[in-house]
């Protein structure tokens, strides 16, 4: 069965589910014009339930960590929120103020990523595309400059982004972007249906 038909059959959840919430002090108020969504891995283990997400909330909650991201996803298909989309998180050095950051519980070295976690990440990409116009395509960055807006890995940002290598070569970027496009399409459709109903009253 194709992805699109699968999505229709199971009436999927299209919005991310925030199951753990904190407010990281590692942020600047406000932000620039969002051009990128940046994919990261936490370099930590997934645990059943929200223990992993609560761990991230507490890690980013300490000012000594000197890092943060807007959200984090796990392989239960749940999320943590640690910095508001209205503020700048500290996740990719020179690109912080033009990007939104997604941490994902897992390791750069891992070869497989769980479907639930990838779908939850895709829901954030769909939401941010909807709200901020970040295109659902691979972003391109060269020499510290955004050449094409879109979705990037932390590694793609190179030295200007802090010189990291996450989320690793086993990470399925294309598949996640494909899921995100479907979620975005479903969100539009659900909203349109809602508006139609309202119009008839
Ligand atoms: Zn990273």
């Amino acid at each position: 069965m194709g992805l699109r038909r699968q999505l229709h059959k199971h009436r999927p959840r299209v919005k991310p589910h925030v199951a753990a919430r904190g407010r990281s002090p590692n942020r600047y108020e406000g932000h620039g014009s969002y051009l990128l969504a940046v994919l990261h891995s936490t370099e930590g283990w997934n645990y059943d339930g929200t223990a992993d997400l609560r761990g991230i909330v507490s890690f980013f909650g300490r000012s000594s960590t000197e890092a943060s991201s807007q959200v984090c996803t796990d392989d239960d298909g749940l999320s943590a929120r640690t910095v508001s989309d209205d503020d700048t998180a500290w996740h990719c050095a020179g690109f912080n103020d033009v990007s939104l950051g997604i941490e994902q519980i897992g390791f750069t070295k891992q070869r497989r990523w769980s479907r639930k976690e990838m779908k939850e990440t895709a829901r954030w990409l769909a939401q941010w595309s909807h709200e901020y116009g970040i295109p659902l395509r691979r972003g391109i960055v060269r020499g510290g400059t955004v050449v094409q807006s879109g979705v990037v890995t932390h590694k793609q940002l190179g030295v200007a982004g802090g010189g990291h290598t996450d989320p690793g070569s086993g990470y399925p970027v294309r598949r996640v972007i494909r899921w995100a496009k479907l979620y975005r399409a479903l969100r539009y459709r659900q909203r349109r249906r809602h508006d139609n109903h309202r119009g008839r009253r």
Side-chain angles (χ1 to χ4, degrees):
M1 200 187 301
L3 274 183
R4 194 172 285 271
R5 283 197 49 201
Q6 230 179 81
L7 282 173
H8 278 290
K9 187 161 177 242
H10 300 294
R11 301 176 66 80
R13 168 167 66 86
V14 296
K15 293 185 179 175
H17 182 94
V18 176
R21 202 178 278 278
R23 199 151 188 265
S24 174
N26 308 320
R27 65 187 154 82
Y28 300 120
E29 278 185 29
H31 61 85
S33 178
Y34 286 140
L35 304 173
L36 303 172
V38 184
L39 302 163
H40 301 268
S41 55
T42 59
E43 307 309 308
W45 297 102
N46 267 290
Y47 295 108
D48 282 348
T50 57
D52 43 14
L53 295 175
R54 283 184 281 120
I56 286 294
V57 165
S58 104
F59 181 61
F60 285 159
R62 292 193 285 275
S63 48
S64 58
T65 299
E66 296 185 337
S68 64
S69 65
Q70 267 77 20
V71 299
C72 180
T73 60
D74 78 356
D75 75 358
D76 296 293
L78 301 173
S79 295
R81 164 66 84 174
T82 42
V83 172
S84 160
D85 291 352
D86 295 333
D87 289 336
T88 299
W90 300 353
H91 61 105
C92 57
F95 296 94
N96 281 335
D97 72 322
V98 295
S99 68
L100 290 152
I102 307 188
E103 284 288 352
Q104 299 163 103
I105 306 275
F107 296 91
T108 296
K109 63 168 192 257
Q110 82 190 43
R111 305 306 305 168
R112 300 178 123 233
W113 287 81
S114 89
R115 184 174 272 242
K116 278 189 179 176
E117 188 164 355
M118 297 302 87
K119 284 184 178 176
E120 184 69 353
T121 291
R123 292 182 186 104
W124 286 112
L125 297 178
Q127 178 160 311
W128 288 339
S129 176
H130 188 72
E131 287 179 3
Y132 301 106
I134 298 172
L136 296 175
R137 63 183 180 199
R138 287 297 289 261
I140 300 172
V141 171
R142 266 188 223 116
T145 308
V146 179
V147 177
Q148 174 171 285
S149 59
V151 180
V152 296
T153 61
H154 194 182
K155 182 183 180 178
Q156 266 181 270
L157 301 180
V159 176
H164 288 231
T165 58
D166 57 313
S169 55
Y171 187 89
V173 184
R174 278 205 200 120
R175 194 184 333 149
V176 171
I177 292 175
R178 210 161 60 226
W179 281 112
K181 284 181 182 168
L182 289 168
Y183 282 127
R184 192 182 58 182
L186 283 170
R187 283 181 79 137
Y188 276 124
R189 186 170 308 154
Q190 286 178 4
R191 172 181 289 193
R192 212 162 47 230
R193 213 175 275 153
H194 181 71
D195 289 348
N196 285 345
H197 284 305
R198 259 206 319 236
R200 270 190 221 115
R201 257 180 225 146

